[in-house]
Amino acid sequence: MIDFSIIFVITLLVAGVVNLFYEFKRDLMMYQQNSYRNERYMRWLSTSGDTTSLVRLLTYIAIMVMLVPQLSYMFCCCVALIPLCINVGKLIVARYKKPLVWTNRVKRIFAVASLLSVGICVAAWFIWKSWYVVDVALLVIFAMSHAIIMLSGILLKPVEASINRMYYNEAASILRSMPDLTVIGVTGSYGKTSTKHYLNRILSEKYDVLMTPGSYNTTMGVIRTVREMMKPYNEIFICEMGAKNIGDIKEICDLVHPTIGIVTAVGEQHLESFKTIENVQRTKFELVDSLPENGLAVINDDFPFAASRKVDNVKALRYAVRAVDNADYRVTSVVYDETGTSFSMQGPEGEFSFHTRLVGECNISNLMGAVIVALYLKVPVDKIQYAISKIEQVEHRLNLKRTPGGITIIDDAFNSNPTGSKMALDVLAGMTKGKRIVITPGMIELGDKQHEYNAELGRHIAASTDVAIIVGEYNRDAILEGLKSADMPEEKVKVVDSFKEAQIVLGSIVKPGDTVLYENDLPDTFK
């Protein structure tokens, strides 16, 4: 006689293990996106509703049902299978904007989380000698999977610190072996990645240049660049320096020892961690404070908290597109056309004219910082002009392109901020052919000013566009408030839950000659 209760218990056991595998993968993805920091991960958990989702609630119910002794094993197992099957089915088909990267650190956390889970199940077996109780343990582990991932991170802290120190020392040794290497630090609330790319292209006309790739702008990202990509013949190292906490940039500077530093902007970015603009200023200028006496600081005066910061430890050259009163370098003319932008820049060396395929005031500003450093490093002006004319747009940063169907796309999907979003909307406003359409979920990581700045974004959208497609829930109320206060007609505002829905709405209204601006794209940690 077949004992169906045993079959159900084993089936639930297999389902529980498979579910934990997929759940740990997803939890680790979010843990990774929150920089493996428990406080940030917990902040995400508190706002995401992940701990109280329908699947989690069904799991809590299943655990309570399984603990009722009067109920049959088969019935309890069937109840428990419901949330597990739902969760596994959902996670198998899920697609993420920034999927989990299986780094060695992730593998270590996954291994420890798995060992903790096995330990709990083994303890349950030895205490109760029941596979049914092991099934209950698997459900409890799933219910507390976030805590297990965080505990794994805590247990591995000494290991990670030891590994990071080893990598740090190796990178420091490589840099010490290259005393003639010129290190250029680039930081700012926004514009640093574009400036890095532009500077790399210009300096490559004369020097052998290495830059930190992509968004490798943390200490470990810089260390990885040095260890894996630095060559003995490199003459210049352009090091992007990002920060979300005070001291982050100083930590990078203590490793690479820059002699030239560019501060592209000081703005209200990452206020959830910095809290105040003064802390942002203090952190960005850690780069300038770290420069040697014979070094050079290049500072964008278009931002008040950059312009007002006194620099007396090193030579400082200031540049501006708008706030030119105290600037050493300034833009004297700007002309946009279908081929890009022509502009002139005046400085101590004279006035020079440039043409670029790039558009937008922010790109001109980023080019200025790169040009100043190139002039300082004796790159001939004609080579600078040639390089600027050949610079390609950085992906997702005010990237202009045309589709075969005659639609202009402005891709500004990466890292939207109050200043950058306004500049992108100004570019959109300048498009005179067809409808001007913006697709945006708004801006994030603005702390207490989150609502205020997204409402202001709504007002800018109303002044610059013909159709607004607002994506997701996170900033919806604030943006709609701004749109309404600026009297944008309701029929011109489309509200959707996802970018997939936004594309469907766009497809129903866009025509040849229209221009579409994609302004920001929230990561998976936001809805």
Side-chain angles (χ1 to χ4, degrees):
M1 188 75 178
I2 298 174
D3 188 346
F4 285 99
S5 63
I6 297 297
I7 294 176
F8 273 86
V9 168
I10 294 173
T11 301
L12 182 57
L13 188 68
V14 173
V17 172
V18 172
N19 176 68
L20 271 186
F21 172 78
Y22 283 102
E23 183 59 34
F24 279 162
K25 275 184 61 179
R26 178 180 176 276
D27 292 344
L28 275 168
M29 178 184 74
M30 296 306 184
Y31 197 52
Q32 188 177 65
Q33 289 186 25
N34 283 285
S35 305
Y36 308 104
R37 294 181 177 178
N38 285 353
E39 70 280 2
R40 289 186 60 185
Y41 187 57
M42 290 176 67
R43 193 183 309 134
W44 171 72
L45 286 173
S46 67
T47 58
S48 68
D50 204 58
T51 55
T52 56
S53 65
L54 176 61
V55 170
R56 301 277 178 178
L57 292 174
L58 289 174
T59 303
Y60 304 145
I61 292 171
I63 292 171
M64 290 187 288
V65 168
M66 293 185 75
L67 294 176
V68 177
Q70 291 82 2
L71 299 175
S72 71
Y73 281 6
M74 287 188 290
F75 173 77
C76 292
C77 289
C78 286
V79 171
L81 279 169
I82 294 173
L84 298 186
C85 292
I86 292 174
N87 198 52
V88 170
K90 184 177 68 173
L91 294 181
I92 286 177
V93 301
R95 296 294 179 268
Y96 302 103
K97 299 169 187 174
K98 191 176 180 181
L100 176 67
V101 180
W102 283 96
T103 62
N104 289 334
R105 184 172 187 176
V106 165
K107 292 175 184 176
R108 287 191 289 269
I109 297 173
F110 184 85
V112 171
S114 299
L115 287 173
L116 287 173
S117 302
V118 169
I120 293 170
C121 291
V122 169
W125 167 257
F126 275 105
I127 293 171
W128 285 281
K129 306 293 185 186
S130 167
W131 288 113
Y132 181 79
V133 175
V134 173
D135 283 338
V136 176
L138 283 171
L139 283 178
V140 172
I141 293 169
F142 170 47
M144 56 188 290
S145 63
H146 304 114
I148 289 177
I149 292 296
M150 287 189 286
L151 177 60
S152 302
I154 292 171
L155 293 173
L156 281 168
K157 267 191 173 182
V159 175
E160 299 302 333
S162 176
I163 292 171
N164 290 347
R165 177 53 55 182
M166 179 182 67
Y167 289 155
Y168 183 100
N169 290 338
E170 184 180 336
S173 177
I174 292 170
L175 290 168
R176 282 195 301 270
S177 72
M178 301 175 66
D180 296 328
L181 181 72
T182 298
V183 179
I184 304 170
V186 183
T187 193
S189 299
Y190 8 90
K192 55 185 176 290
T193 302
S194 295
T195 300
K196 173 189 67 177
H197 279 278
Y198 304 161
L199 183 59
N200 177 65
R201 178 63 185 85
I202 296 169
L203 293 184
S204 294
E205 290 292 315
K206 182 177 179 180
Y207 300 99
D208 190 291
V209 185
L210 172 69
M211 70 173 182
T212 49
S215 290
Y216 278 38
N217 58 18
T218 64
T219 301
M220 292 310 299
V222 173
I223 288 172
R224 183 175 178 184
T225 302
V226 173
R227 291 179 59 249
E228 298 178 6
M229 303 174 197
M230 184 76 73
K231 299 294 185 290
Y233 50 77
N234 291 143
E235 297 172 283
I236 291 178
F237 178 37
I238 304 173
C239 181
E240 181 180 346
M241 301 178 179
K244 291 188 177 179
N245 295 282
I246 294 172
D248 284 354
I249 290 175
K250 184 180 185 302
E251 185 177 62
I252 299 174
C253 290
D254 288 344
L255 170 66
V256 302
H257 302 292
T259 55
I260 300 172
I262 306 175
V263 179
T264 62
V266 176
E268 293 175 303
Q269 184 83 319
H270 301 310
L271 286 182
E272 285 190 0
S273 54
F274 281 120
K275 305 303 180 185
T276 68
I277 184 69
E278 288 80 11
N279 285 337
V280 177
Q281 180 195 57
R282 172 183 167 187
T283 304
K284 299 305 176 186
F285 273 84
E286 288 172 358
L287 169 57
V288 175
D289 296 338
S290 298
L291 296 174
E293 186 178 343
N294 63 343
L296 174 70
V298 180
I299 301 165
N300 187 352
D301 266 15
D302 277 329
F303 295 85
F305 277 87
S308 63
R309 175 49 154 78
K310 185 179 178 181
V311 175
D312 51 19
N313 65 305
V314 68
K315 179 182 178 181
L317 295 175
R318 298 179 180 271
Y319 65 98
V321 176
R322 289 172 280 110
V324 299
D325 289 349
N326 296 311
D328 300 287
Y329 294 84
R330 63 198 68 191
V331 168
T332 54
S333 68
V334 179
V335 178
Y336 298 109
D337 59 30
E338 64 276 4
T339 65
T341 308
S342 297
F343 69 98
S344 295
M345 187 180 95
Q346 188 176 59
E349 299 89 351
E351 186 169 3
F352 306 111
S353 297
F354 305 95
H355 183 271
T356 176
R357 301 172 188 175
L358 307 172
V359 295
E361 183 183 300
C362 56
N363 278 320
I364 296 174
S365 179
N366 295 333
L367 282 170
M368 288 181 73
V371 169
I372 294 167
V373 172
L375 290 170
Y376 179 76
L377 293 174
K378 308 301 181 184
V379 179
V381 173
D382 61 329
K383 289 186 178 294
I384 297 175
Q385 291 169 325
Y386 174 78
I388 287 177
S389 71
K390 298 298 181 182
I391 284 176
E392 298 291 337
Q393 296 165 325
V394 180
E395 190 177 13
H396 305 314
R397 291 171 172 87
L398 211 57
N399 193 327
L400 188 68
K401 52 193 173 185
R402 294 183 184 276
T403 70
I407 298 163
T408 300
I409 303 295
I410 303 174
D411 182 355
D412 197 39
F414 186 87
N415 201 23
S416 184
N417 57 78
T419 301
S421 63
K422 185 178 185 304
M423 289 182 181
L425 286 166
D426 288 343
V427 173
L428 180 63
M431 300 297 176
T432 56
K433 292 182 179 180
K435 296 190 298 296
R436 296 162 300 182
I437 304 167
V438 65
I439 300 175
T440 183
M443 301 171 290
I444 59 173
E445 295 186 333
L446 293 171
D448 293 339
K449 295 193 174 184
Q450 182 85 17
H451 188 95
E452 175 188 339
Y453 277 125
N454 278 288
E456 184 66 20
L457 174 66
R459 287 187 282 273
H460 288 317
I461 289 172
S464 308
T465 67
D466 300 302
V467 180
I469 302 177
I470 311 304
V471 184
E473 303 174 7
Y474 195 73
N475 294 312
R476 179 182 294 172
D477 292 343
I479 298 173
L480 292 178
E481 177 186 305
L483 292 170
K484 185 176 181 180
S485 68
D487 297 322
M488 187 162 189
E490 288 186 14
E491 66 272 13
K492 300 296 184 182
V493 180
K494 316 293 182 183
V495 177
V496 298
D497 291 326
S498 66
F499 272 99
K500 183 177 180 180
E501 288 183 43
Q503 291 302 110
I504 295 172
V505 172
L506 178 65
S508 68
I509 61 175
V510 72
K511 295 180 180 178
D514 291 349
T515 302
V516 181
L517 167 64
Y518 289 91
E519 183 60 27
N520 207 16
D521 183 7
L522 298 189
D524 298 300
T525 45
F526 295 90
K527 292 184 178 181

